Amino acid sequence: MPQADGGSESVTTVRRGERGTSNRAHYRAALLGVAGIALAASAWELYKAFGPQAGVTVGQTIVLPRANDGVMPHIWQMFTEFGKPVTAGTGSQTIGGAVLAATWFTLRLAGTGWIVGVIIGFALAMLMTRSRVAEAAALPWVVVSQTVPLIAIAPLLAGWGQYLHVGSWQWGLPQSVMVISAYLAFYPMSIGALKGLTSPDVYQLELMHVYGIGWWRTFLRLRLPAAVPYLLPALRLAATMAVVGAVVGETSVDLQGGVGYLIISFQQTAGLSDAARAWPPIIGAMVDGLIAAGVVALIGVLLRRYRRGENA
């Protein structure tokens, strides 16, 4: 009995030590993130203070950007823009309110595209894991798909979509943006999932085969748990790419309501007199990316028992 109690205490101590190490790692990551933002802001202000006002150009190539107020505003000027009205009219919405609504609009489109892209990418990875013939046939097309520029895909989707309708439902520009988000999200998911699902050693797979365990049970009990360290980085990259796809898609199909539209609109109205005005929607897009990465981080917390080491 004393030995059992001692063993139980040892296990408890080890688990507490692991939790303490994990908490310290999380705090360290948060501090490093804050330090990185502070460093980037400091570098911006230092360059603005000491950089060339007219920039540096070699031939037709801009080597160093201009540091004047018309191009490079102060960090605090960007954030003071949030409290200003969008237009000069009475009762106009503030820029902060407009950016907040646009950020939520874009986040919903990106989130839907991310879910669709993750499902398609994981399904493709399962198919390629199940059959070497399917892998040889599908993998090159998965890679080639990412070489097609979005600026060419977006107008085609919007044009084809106008002919799609089911009853009273009509395909619209938001659906085209979702497809673009899913298009960018499925690639990292399919590649990461394929790498993870094929990560178990040959002797592990042979052992499952010897015991007569079928493909599906092997998939659920061996391949899927082994793939988690690969899936989380893939999910994180897919989430950020979905946000990029949503922003680019909004600008390509001229969809109003999102941060992509605000970025173009505010840049056109800012000019050289108020360069800081163009930055609030850009910050909104950054917030969307951080939220997307945060959602994946929460998924990682739920799956921490399988995270023995993540692989990019």
Side-chain angles (χ1 to χ4, degrees):
M1 292 299 293
Q3 292 180 354
D5 292 341
S8 178
E9 291 177 359
S10 299
V11 172
T12 303
T13 302
V14 170
R15 290 178 177 175
R16 288 177 179 174
E18 291 178 350
R19 285 196 296 267
T21 302
S22 178
N23 290 335
R24 286 194 295 271
H26 292 158
Y27 294 146
R28 181 184 179 186
L31 289 175
L32 289 176
V34 173
I37 295 174
L39 182 62
S42 300
W44 179 281
E45 291 297 332
L46 284 173
Y47 183 82
K48 178 168 177 58
F50 302 104
Q53 294 293 302
V56 176
T57 304
V58 178
Q60 300 295 325
T61 304
I62 300 176
V63 179
L64 293 175
R66 291 174 290 175
N68 58 63
D69 292 337
V71 175
M72 195 173 186
H74 289 286
I75 297 293
W76 60 84
Q77 289 176 329
M78 301 177 190
F79 286 94
T80 56
E81 289 290 323
F82 283 92
K84 296 181 180 180
V86 176
T87 61
T90 304
S92 174
Q93 185 183 24
T94 63
I95 291 178
V99 170
L100 181 62
T103 299
W104 173 238
F105 182 86
T106 300
L107 185 62
R108 285 182 295 166
L109 297 181
T112 304
W114 175 67
I115 293 173
V116 174
V118 165
I119 293 174
I120 294 175
F122 191 80
L124 278 173
M126 286 182 60
L127 177 62
M128 290 187 287
T129 303
R130 185 70 177 86
S131 170
R132 291 188 178 273
V133 174
E135 179 182 356
L139 188 57
W141 290 105
V142 172
V143 176
V144 169
S145 69
Q146 300 304 296
T147 64
V148 181
L150 292 181
I151 196 172
I153 296 176
L156 291 176
L157 285 174
W160 293 338
Q162 63 181 331
Y163 301 106
L164 298 177
H165 60 87
V166 178
S168 60
W169 178 84
Q170 176 74 39
W171 182 281
L173 296 181
Q175 285 72 33
S176 298
V177 173
M178 292 177 191
V179 170
I180 294 172
S181 293
Y183 177 78
L184 287 186
F186 97 94
Y187 174 75
M189 188 62 203
S190 59
I191 298 299
L194 177 62
K195 186 176 181 181
L197 293 174
T198 56
S199 64
D201 295 327
V202 175
Y203 75 87
Q204 294 175 313
L205 297 173
E206 290 179 348
L207 182 62
M208 303 292 277
H209 179 71
V210 168
Y211 280 102
I213 299 177
W215 189 88
W216 275 108
R217 291 177 64 190
T218 301
F219 175 82
L220 294 175
R221 295 186 178 185
L222 177 60
R223 291 186 183 273
L224 190 57
V228 170
Y230 297 86
L231 292 177
L232 291 174
L235 285 171
R236 189 180 302 114
L237 182 57
T240 54
M241 292 303 294
V243 173
V244 173
V247 174
V248 174
E250 289 170 352
T251 60
S252 300
V253 302
D254 197 27
L255 174 62
Q256 300 183 15
V259 291
Y261 176 80
L262 284 187
I263 289 173
I264 300 299
S265 177
F266 281 19
Q267 284 180 345
Q268 292 175 346
T269 59
L272 297 178
S273 60
D274 190 11
R277 183 183 177 88
W279 282 92
I282 297 176
I283 295 174
M286 295 178 182
V287 170
D288 275 344
L290 291 174
I291 293 174
V295 170
V296 178
L298 291 177
I299 296 175
V301 171
L302 298 176
L303 299 176
R304 61 182 178 272
R305 61 178 296 187
Y306 302 105
R307 298 175 63 182
R308 297 178 181 177
E310 289 190 9
N311 299 274

